[in-house]
Amino acid sequence: MRRDRSVGRLLTRAFGVLVGLIVLSGAAETTALIMQHRVVEELSTRVQPLELANSDLHSVLADAQRSLRGYLLTGDGQLLDTYYIAHSDYGLTSGKLRELARGEDDAAVGRQLRHADAWWTLAERQREAPPRSDAAAGYVSEGKELFQQFAAENGQFADALAARGSDLQERSSRLSVVTTAVVIVLTGLAALTAALAAAHIAGRITRPLARVVSVIDRRRSGELQLLADADAGPTEIRAVAQAVNEMAAKGDQIRRAEQDVARLRGEVRQLGYRIRGHLKVEDAVKEAVQGLAEIIGADHVLVRMAPGQTDVPPLASLHDEHVGGVLKELADCGVDWLGHGDVWATDDPSPAGDIHPPEAERRAWAAVGDGPVLTVAVSGGDERLGALTLIRDSGRPGWTAIDIRLVESVAADLGRGVHHARLYEREQHLVARLQELDTAKTDFMSTVSHELRTPLTSIAGYVELLLDAEAGELDPPQRKMLEVIARNTRRLRELIEDMLMLSKIESGTFRTSRAPLDLAVVAEQAMAAIAPAAAKTGVDLCTDVRTPLQLSADAEQLDRVLMNLLSNAVKFTPAGGTVTLAARREGDEVLIAVTDTGIGIPAGEQHSLFARFFRATNAIHRAIPGTGLGLAIVRTIVDNHGGHIEVRSAAGEGTTVTIRLPAQ
Amino acid sequence: MGGTAVTVVLVADDDADIRDLVAFKLEQAGLEVVAVEDGQAAVEQARARRPALAVLDVSMPGLSGIDVCRMLRADPATSGMLIIMLTARVQEQDVEGGFSAGADDYVTKPFSPRELVSRIQALLSRARA
């Protein structure tokens, strides 16, 4: 663990090195410049002027020597003028030379000037010698020797100066090369340092930063267990990772809290469903009491029902087993101090309204343990049904706003549940009562029809005896009157039969037991049975049955259907008319049609045909007997067979009843 | 052993009008009728008179027609007797009850006396054959 791996420190160091290299490079350049300047100054202010002055001195002396020698050899005075000029120049030139010469040059210049002065001393003596004399000649050779000594010294100095000049120039150029090399090296080092620092920093920042960013991204996409590595990478990145982890921890904490609340909400919702699913008030209350104790974490849960609302006694949670013990006193307290939707909680974070629990209630709470109490009114519909009280043991945390909301939700569900259960219970009572009534009605119908049969048997039997002349011969008016009695007895009997059948249909004891049968046989029997009645009223019968007609049906009921339709048709058809029974297979169905050329059914009344006791107005007007129950029974039988029935009729033209039954 | 050629028929019905009606019609048909008004009397008369046939009303106070039928069938002395049940009910269970008790035929009220006599005669002639 290297604790000092800070990018900032690294950057500072890298910049320090760079600045150092740049300063070094500048210093080298400056030093080189200064040194070169010195060389140039040395050259221009000393060496070159010295060379010039030295050369001038040589020229002056050479001019003086040449003109003096010429004068001495020729006596030309003009040459002597030249000599004089040179002599005066010598003063200037030698002074200048002496002025320029310093230090190391002093000796050389002094030697040269001593030689020059010696020559001049001799020259002054020469000048006074007569020209072209032997003395003069002697002086010339003597002067020549002195001059040569001077010239030698002069040349030697000039050489030394030249050597110094070239030496200086060489040093200057060498310095320049060295400086350039040093600057290049330093610049290269700086570039290298910058590049290395950049690469290193990039490496130290980019990768760890990318890792932190990736952690943030993955957390965002749900990998909540991931944490950023706060022990790797530079200090700054570690700080960022640390901050990310702290934020994540905070976020996790919030999320966990939210999840807890969501879980509680879900459980409370489920509890609500269960409460509302109960059909008994007591079960709904028990469910609420047990569920609340578990979900909300209450040590005691008590549900008190307002008197007069239900006969359910106060119910407490399993912890308390029953309302004896510590809850006894509280269970006996009334809850009328709580209004519709009221909530009262110990240290309620946001108390609503002005609710004052009575002293008795407060004493009862203290008896339970004086812990946090939460009481919520339970209402169903517009009625106050009671109250839900949760108590935690003393020292346990108080009720949070979330607890209160959840308990309110349960109270609302309990209210609805109790309300519905009460409605259901009332409905159950009503249904039971209706069933009793229905059974009584069925029994009554059965009894009545049974009791009617016995006297009817006597009436019909004795009328038959009379008509059979068993009690003596009858005269025609007597016979006619007895026949009226017989006919009406038959009607009464039919009515009783139909009513009994309807009562069976309504009580659900009318059963259809299907078995394979041939419709052609049933149709033939029905036609045979109706034939006497048709013959009596002068109606022609016609059959159009196309076999095979295999069906799965209840033979007795199918016979009843055919008999009903045929007797209707015969009954409503005047003499000379025709009744046709047609039957054939059509696809998956067997079609049965009974057609008559009778009085028909008025269009406005056709829709009522299958209603019980309905009778068409024209039938009533013509005093054609009937109960109005036949078609209702027919329709029930057809429905039981999975078929359907249809009536087409025109008043005065006739009627066709068509039945379609599923073929076998 | 009366040795008489007259066939005896037992008629049991608590309704006197119906009892008289049936008795009258059967006597007209030349049969000898023993009429009783309850099940207990029916059993006693059946044992005493050994009728060839009994017409029993199903719903009678005390022993019902079905009870009587069952008792007659259980007694070897009367087990061969022909029995016709008269019922005011058309419920299947009554009819089935009658048959399972051993009745030979049943007639529902209201019935035609003519039809009842012809059924009785049919049963008697079949038994003689």
Side-chain angles (χ1 to χ4, degrees), chain A residues 450 453 462 464 468 470, chain B residues 15 17 25 88 109 112 114:
Chain A
H450 176 244
R453 277 161 192 268
Y462 284 103
E464 189 188 297
D468 285 353
E470 305 260 14
Chain B
D15 189 307
D17 294 342
K25 193 70 186 174
K109 291 180 182 174
S112 153
R114 210 162 40 227

Side-chain angles (χ1 to χ4, degrees), chain A residues 446 449-451 453-458 460-462 464-465 467-468 470-471 493 497 500 504 509 556, chain B residues 13 15-18 20-21 24-25 28 59 87-92 108-115:
Chain A
S446 170
S449 57
H450 176 244
E451 292 306 317
R453 277 161 192 268
T454 306
L456 210 57
T457 305
S458 292
Y462 284 103
E464 189 188 297
L465 287 186
L467 283 172
D468 285 353
E470 305 260 14
R493 181 186 165 167
E497 296 296 328
L500 208 67
K504 275 165 81 181
T509 55
E556 205 173 305
Chain B
D13 197 314
D15 189 307
D17 294 342
I18 293 176
D20 291 350
L21 175 71
F24 178 82
K25 193 70 186 174
Q28 289 291 313
S59 53
T87 173
R89 299 183 188 151
V90 290
Q91 265 90 349
E92 287 80 356
T108 54
K109 291 180 182 174
F111 56 88
S112 153
R114 210 162 40 227
E115 192 192 326

